[in-house]
Amino acid sequence: MRTVKLITCNESFQARLIKGALENEGIAVAIHNENTSSVLRGMPVSITGIDLFVYEDDYERAMSILENNQMIPERLIYCPYCGSKNIKFILRKRHRLRAIFSTVIAMLAAAPPGTEHWEYICNDCGKVFDKPVGKNNVTPENDET
């Protein structure tokens, strides 16, 4: 079976707490990078984060358990207009040249290029938006004023 990364934690305590909660629900969890995070304390989380892996078949169940227990923030994966999960992250049409230039400069500076050149589009309702919402923040279209 294939494993997938579930979440990256900042601290060993948080990773162990999440692992215990999921194992109590019968989900096998593997921790990766725990020792490196202790040795490189103070470095960015992208380098020292503790990764939790689960089997691909258990991913959705594990995420819903963590959300229901408020162990992680709510996932922002829904269209704010129709509530669909069928959304895409795309490059803004009028920002393509600027995004390419920004990426080249970011690579030379060893820095992230930023996200202001990107937007989301819903494949169901066709609306464009800057940021998806959680399932509790979906606004039905007929309530818009």
Side-chain angles (χ1 to χ4, degrees), residues 3-145:
T3 59
V4 293
K5 183 165 73 166
L6 177 68
I7 190 172
T8 300
C9 299
N10 297 335
E11 298 180 10
S12 178
F13 176 76
Q14 181 187 20
R16 292 282 173 183
L17 189 67
I18 290 172
K19 180 181 182 199
L22 293 175
E23 286 178 342
N24 284 341
E25 297 291 331
I27 298 174
V29 180
I31 294 181
H32 180 263
N33 207 21
E34 187 174 19
N35 294 333
T36 305
S37 71
S38 298
V39 173
L40 299 175
R41 193 173 287 292
M43 297 294 285
V45 175
S46 59
I47 297 171
T48 63
I50 302 165
D51 298 324
L52 294 168
F53 288 86
V54 296
Y55 288 119
E56 190 173 31
D57 297 341
D58 292 332
Y59 178 82
E60 285 300 323
R61 190 168 143 237
M63 287 301 284
S64 65
I65 289 169
L66 294 179
E67 282 178 350
N68 291 340
N69 291 327
Q70 297 177 350
M71 297 179 91
I72 61 171
E74 184 179 25
R75 291 185 287 171
L76 304 178
I77 57 173
Y78 298 96
C79 170
Y81 300 103
C82 69
S84 170
K85 288 173 73 173
N86 189 11
I87 60 175
K88 255 192 319 193
F89 193 54
I90 61 169
L91 187 60
R92 293 179 192 226
K93 289 182 181 173
R94 60 190 180 278
H95 289 196
R96 288 190 177 143
L97 185 60
R98 191 184 317 167
I100 292 169
F101 182 70
S102 173
T103 302
V104 170
I105 296 296
M107 287 182 351
L108 292 173
T115 59
E116 65 274 1
H117 308 294
W118 299 87
E119 63 191 0
Y120 292 89
I121 186 167
C122 179
N123 291 330
D124 291 341
C125 70
K127 299 221 176 165
V128 177
F129 49 95
D130 289 330
K131 185 177 177 185
V133 297
K135 63 182 166 186
N136 296 329
N137 297 327
V138 175
T139 307
E141 285 188 85
N142 55 10
D143 287 347
E144 292 180 2
T145 54

